Amino acid sequence: YEYAKLFAFNKEDSLLDLGCGDATLLKIAAPLCGKVCGVDISDEQLARAKAALADFPNAELVRATLQEIDFPAESFTKVSMRKAIHHLTNHEKSIMIDKVFKWLKPGGLFIVEDMITSFEFRLKDEFRPLIEAEAAEYYGERWESFKDAFFTTMYAELPCDLSKMINRLLHGRFHIKRVNTITCFMCTIISQK
């Protein structure tokens, strides 16, 4: 699982996964970290996460929205936000980045992977042929069944482009360590406090 490898988890780590879903990342991290915490709003996903983490006493799950969640300063060494930041408005994205900065210990990592376009997001209609071609390759056989949900995310939710996301992170006092451009519509940004 390539995304999990980016964190290089160790026993000193305390991981926060924002929008943890069914605990895919937490299940990998729990045996490697001192503590893991997942946040999600979906009762169904949290029930799956609870079952997946049943054997890990160092795992905690919190039911909350991304907008309302809060933790004490310097509670975590690593924070993940995978396929969740597109639910937030531009203003809420900035607030979330500020909160993550507060929650991280000095030197802590914040990794975001989401629908973050390599082109200016307002040009998405012009880039649609490229998006469709890359999405078909990226999702493979699943693309046709996933297509409607994908474009609902792109058009009805709140993705953004890479330059805006990097500017938000820099404004939030993060250092950008690396950007992995997966497709023209998906990026992973590794930043550090």
Side-chain angles (χ1 to χ4, degrees), residues 11-34:
K11 284 294 182 193
E12 305 302 309
D13 279 331
S14 47
L15 169 69
L16 171 63
D17 190 8
L18 295 163
C20 67
D22 64 3
T24 302
L25 179 64
L26 295 173
K27 199 168 145 184
I28 294 168
L32 306 171
C33 295

Side-chain angles (χ1 to χ4, degrees), residues 4-190:
K5 288 180 188 171
L6 298 173
F7 291 88
F9 292 123
N10 65 67
K11 284 294 182 193
E12 305 302 309
D13 279 331
S14 47
L15 169 69
L16 171 63
D17 190 8
L18 295 163
C20 67
D22 64 3
T24 302
L25 179 64
L26 295 173
K27 199 168 145 184
I28 294 168
L32 306 171
C33 295
K35 77 169 185 175
V36 298
C37 178
V39 175
D40 210 287
I41 190 60
S42 164
D43 290 327
E44 185 182 322
Q45 292 284 50
L46 286 169
R48 287 187 186 130
K50 186 176 180 181
L53 298 169
D55 295 336
F56 300 103
N58 62 332
E60 176 188 3
L61 294 168
V62 178
R63 186 189 186 282
T65 67
L66 295 172
Q67 293 87 341
E68 70 191 0
I69 193 69
D70 203 7
F71 293 99
E74 300 187 9
S75 295
F76 302 98
T77 61
K78 293 175 179 163
V79 176
S80 168
M81 195 166 193
R82 187 166 192 255
K83 298 182 180 172
I85 206 163
H86 70 265
H87 294 298
L88 301 177
T89 65
N90 289 333
H91 180 65
E92 289 168 341
K93 284 177 176 78
S94 295
I95 291 169
M96 176 56 67
I97 288 166
D98 288 343
K99 290 202 291 189
V100 169
F101 190 87
K102 180 189 91 169
W103 300 335
L104 275 170
K105 296 178 189 296
L109 285 183
F110 179 32
I111 302 181
V112 176
E113 184 173 283
D114 211 318
M115 191 178 277
I116 300 168
T117 59
S118 55
F119 53 86
E120 281 187 64
F121 188 69
R122 64 183 180 81
L123 302 175
K124 61 187 172 290
D125 291 333
E126 292 173 41
F127 279 86
R128 185 150 175 156
L130 177 64
I131 294 165
E132 291 224 27
E134 289 194 10
E137 187 176 325
Y138 179 74
Y139 292 106
E141 294 173 3
R142 298 178 300 147
W143 174 235
E144 285 307 315
S145 63
F146 190 61
K147 195 178 203 175
D148 288 344
F150 175 90
F151 283 112
T152 297
T153 299
M154 181 162 277
Y155 284 91
E157 298 192 36
L158 304 159
C160 73
D161 56 61
L162 184 57
S163 63
K164 285 192 174 78
M165 186 59 69
I166 286 177
N167 284 338
R168 276 193 193 93
L169 287 162
L170 292 173
H171 185 74
R173 297 173 288 161
F174 280 96
H175 302 281
I176 308 300
K177 292 190 60 143
R178 194 164 87 229
V179 175
N180 294 345
T181 304
I182 301 164
T183 64
C184 70
F185 58 82
M186 178 88 64
C187 285
T188 309
I189 306 171
I190 301 151

